[in-house]
Amino acid sequence: MVCMGNICRSPTAEGVLRRMAREAGLAHSLQVDSAGTHDYHIGAAPDARACRHAGARGYDLSSLRARQLVREDFQRFDLVLVMDAANEAAARALCPPQFASRIARLTDFCSTPACAEVPDPYYGGDEGFERVLDLVEDACRGLLRQLQARGLS
């Protein structure tokens, strides 16, 4: 899961997917991580607002720490899911050519094409963090459905 600073959207997505995978009995089959395309917050905990809103829905982000996306991530992970066009461009610029097909937008897995991006809630209010959670939950459910259809168990 990749966003800009790895303190709002991508750790939220990591926490959501981890829990959903565990509840689906797939935790042993998935390696879930998150990173940022920029080095603004390396080592920092997720934004307190992201933690608060995620916590209200039962997701614990407290153990997560921001890190920067590195070239090795494209070899290490089968999917690198970005939150928006800007982070997709940054990820593609860093990605070795042979792994370019591993990059997708998280919203590609949403059940409805209502939004092409997970919007950055950082400079907004509570409603932005709730919107992020709504989109991320929908996308993670869709992702897990697709993985299960491909035989992940």
Side-chain angles (χ1 to χ4, degrees), residues 33-85:
D33 199 357
S34 63
T37 56
H38 293 71
D39 64 357
Y40 303 143
H41 305 286
I42 292 175
D47 184 281
R49 298 165 297 171
C51 290
R52 184 174 72 249
H53 287 274
R57 296 192 191 193
Y59 305 108
D60 181 11
L61 310 182
S62 64
S63 67
L64 305 180
R65 294 297 176 265
R67 70 177 188 87
Q68 190 170 13
L69 185 68
V70 294
R71 288 177 61 85
E72 293 77 22
D73 287 330
F74 299 99
Q75 181 174 359
R76 184 174 163 213
F77 296 100
D78 294 325
L79 286 172
V80 176
L81 300 173
V82 298
M83 301 298 142
D84 59 29

Side-chain angles (χ1 to χ4, degrees), residues 12 18 23 32 43 48 62 72 76 96-97 108 112 116 126 131:
T12 296
R18 280 179 189 265
E23 290 173 352
V32 183
S62 64
E72 293 77 22
R76 184 174 163 213
D108 291 347
T112 58
D126 290 342
R131 177 75 173 135

Side-chain angles (χ1 to χ4, degrees), residues 5-6 15 25 38 46 54 70-71 75 78 88 92 94 97 108 116 125 130 133 137 142 146 153:
N6 194 213
H38 293 71
V70 294
R71 288 177 61 85
Q75 181 174 359
D78 294 325
E88 181 176 0
R92 289 192 183 285
L94 180 64
D108 291 347
E130 289 298 317
L133 279 159
E137 286 176 335
Q146 281 198 25
S153 59

